[in-house]
Amino acid sequence: MPKISAGLIMHRQGLAGLEVLLVHPGGPFWRNKDDGAWSIPKGEVGPGEDLLDTARREFREELGLAADGPFLPLVPVKQKGAKIVHAWAFPGNCDPSQIRSNTFAVEWPPRSGKLQQFPEVDQAAFFDLATARRKINPAQIAFLDELEKSLSKRS
């Protein structure tokens, strides 16, 4: 059975057009990774948990921010490893330098017996769509394409 995640994409109009908020995963594995490593704020759905409720919870846990709709549902994508990600987009704005992420523990350095705490998200930033397409996990580019198409139809 594939893992299921749910997340949110905050978007705003910037000087150069549409911008989306992406997050960079924390921890030692991701420290020196950039292009293709960023993601929408998302997390695993628990048994019986509502998808949108999960997405809103994960946004709050990873950024320390509440997310208020209206929420635009996007077509789910399948990432490598067969994880299925459900997403919603919503208009909003924030100061990415002020995020407060929850933490997780991992043995670091490996086989050291020492547990260290790391933020689940170590950075957040708004990116224009061209930059976001380079930064985001490749499977999630479809979310950006769908969001752009949906918003251009409303104009």
Side-chain angles (χ1 to χ4, degrees):
M1 180 124 184
K3 289 185 179 182
I4 308 280
S5 285
L8 297 176
I9 305 172
M10 179 187 280
H11 62 87
R12 69 182 186 189
Q13 277 303 119
L15 296 176
L18 183 62
E19 297 178 337
V20 294
L21 182 70
L22 300 179
V23 297
H24 186 270
F29 177 77
W30 298 100
R31 183 170 291 139
N32 296 317
K33 293 178 173 50
D34 190 40
D35 288 354
W38 292 68
S39 175
I40 67 169
K42 64 175 179 43
E44 282 194 38
V45 178
E49 192 174 16
D50 179 79
L51 294 169
L52 182 54
D53 288 346
T54 298
R56 294 179 76 187
R57 172 181 48 82
E58 289 294 325
F59 194 86
R60 187 174 49 257
E61 288 177 0
E62 293 186 359
L63 299 168
L65 303 170
D68 297 316
F71 297 105
L72 171 68
L74 303 172
V75 175
V77 299
K78 184 186 269 188
Q79 294 186 168
K80 286 184 180 178
K83 178 187 282 186
I84 297 171
V85 181
H86 296 261
W88 290 261
F90 73 103
N93 200 0
C94 68
D95 179 351
S97 70
Q98 299 300 308
I99 67 161
R100 295 179 321 277
S101 179
N102 56 345
T103 61
F104 68 97
V106 67
E107 183 180 3
W108 192 257
R111 295 178 295 286
S112 67
K114 298 177 185 177
L115 282 181
Q116 289 195 42
Q117 293 286 324
F118 294 95
E120 193 169 343
V121 166
D122 63 12
Q123 294 179 69
F126 278 101
F127 295 105
D128 62 73
L129 288 182
T131 306
R133 286 183 175 100
R134 190 178 76 246
K135 299 280 187 192
I136 201 167
N137 176 311
Q140 295 177 22
I141 292 172
F143 291 144
L144 305 179
D145 294 342
E146 185 179 357
L147 175 61
E148 181 179 37
K149 185 182 281 188
S150 293
L151 294 178
S152 69
K153 286 179 184 177
R154 292 179 182 181
S155 303

